[in-house]
Amino acid sequence: MRSWRHGATRLVRTPTAMTALLLVTCWLTGCAYKDPQSTLDVNGPVAAMQREVFFTTLYVSAGLFFVVGGLLLYAVIRFRKKPDWTPEEGVLPRQTHGNAKIEFGLLAVSIVLLGIMEIPTIPAIFKTDAFAPDEEALHITAIGHRWWWEFQYPDQGGIKTANEMHFPTGKPVKIDVVAADV
């Protein structure tokens, strides 16, 4: 008599179960819009630009992934080896050269997709440079340790905090990031 563990172990080894397990894990550990410290909850103009660049790149890449993956899956299923096919000795299938129309079409599609991704990227680069802090900015030194962050405020009398950075709203901030042992 088999135990339930044998069946569960065999089930987890299947590619479908592994894919489902990976997707559920990613879903459960992903970012949320309403939770505190969410990557997707932006409050500043620079973060909003970075979020727009991120989502544009994500959507273009995901679309490309599904199109290419779908074509690959179609080719694998459509052109798989037939059960009754037996190769003759020394006979190769007819060899073909690439199709110039398809190659130029793929090149054009790649250029268009890169153009779509650069539409929000290039203005974001120049706008981010314009946000450089001026002389009245609050200076903060962020020191990365192995398991925590240390924040030092040299303009505020040497105040130090661990894992939480605090600064006033409406005032520019200059953050110097350094590493102690990372």
Side-chain angles (χ1 to χ4, degrees), residues 43-44 138 166-173:
N43 293 320
L138 174 65
H166 301 275
F167 50 88
T169 58
K171 183 174 181 178
V173 178

Side-chain angles (χ1 to χ4, degrees), residues 142-150 163 177-182:
I143 302 171
H145 297 277
R146 284 196 181 164
W147 310 112
W148 62 286
W149 285 93
E150 176 184 355
N163 289 331
V177 181
V178 295
D181 57 2
V182 179

